[in-house]
């Protein structure tokens, strides 16, 4: 899975346009995180194929940023589950630089050292 950054204007409809562009291209959005900062917004999309998603978004006029490798793990929907996973990462000394949840109760995380992150999460 890949996390694709999309740079948007902070105005009504821009997130909808990005989602529609992917849907019209048959691309499933597996997770999403977005945040507005002043007149700009940044959208992170979890997709199986970032190149195909980028192409569909750019064809719709979207400004795509970088895409990156992420680790995706299933969570049990119960108190303490997120903390349990994040504690293993912290105890291994791995600093996360991105975390969000995805469909089907999954955690999406990334770090500068993805190998160390994977070792921490999977032993």
């Amino acid at each position: 899975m890949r996390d694709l950054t999309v740079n948007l204007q902070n105005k009504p409809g821009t997130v909808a346009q990005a989602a529609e562009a992917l849907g019209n291209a048959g691309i499933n959005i597996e997770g999403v995180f977005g945040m507005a900062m002043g007149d700009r917004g940044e959208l992170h999309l979890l997709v199986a194929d970032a190149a195909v998603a980028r192409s569909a978004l750019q064809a719709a006029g979207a400004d795509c940023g970088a895409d990156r490798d992420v680790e995706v793990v299933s969570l049990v929907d119960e108190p303490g589950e997120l903390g349990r996973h994040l504690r293993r990462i912290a105890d291994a000394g791995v600093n996360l630089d991105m975390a969000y949840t995805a469909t089907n109760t999954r955690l999406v995380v990334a770090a500068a050292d993805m190998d160390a992150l994977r070792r921490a999460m999977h032993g």
Side-chain angles (χ1 to χ4, degrees):
M1 300 300 288
R2 303 287 293 180
D3 174 85
L4 174 62
T5 302
V6 184
N7 304 304
L8 302 170
Q9 292 181 357
N10 183 10
K11 65 179 191 178
T14 57
V15 175
Q17 289 170 337
E20 290 167 341
L22 293 176
N24 291 337
I27 298 165
N28 190 38
I29 299 170
E30 305 240 2
V32 62
F33 168 77
M35 184 171 186
M37 298 158 281
D39 65 345
R40 303 295 302 161
E42 187 172 285
L43 186 65
H44 288 263
L45 299 167
L46 181 66
V47 293
D49 189 329
V52 173
R54 178 186 307 280
S55 178
L57 288 162
Q58 288 175 332
D63 174 26
C64 294
D67 65 90
R68 65 184 296 186
D69 190 25
V70 292
E71 187 66 14
V72 181
V73 296
S74 293
L75 300 175
V76 176
D77 190 7
E78 65 185 26
E81 178 75 351
L82 179 61
R84 184 174 65 81
H85 284 278
L86 296 178
R87 174 52 51 203
R88 283 201 318 257
I89 296 166
D91 287 350
V94 176
N95 188 42
L96 293 176
D97 55 33
M98 182 169 53
Y100 59 93
T101 55
T103 58
N104 299 318
T105 318
R106 293 177 297 164
L107 173 64
V108 180
V109 289
D113 188 342
M114 288 299 293
D115 289 336
L117 173 63
R118 287 187 175 106
R119 283 192 304 276
M121 294 190 80
H122 305 292

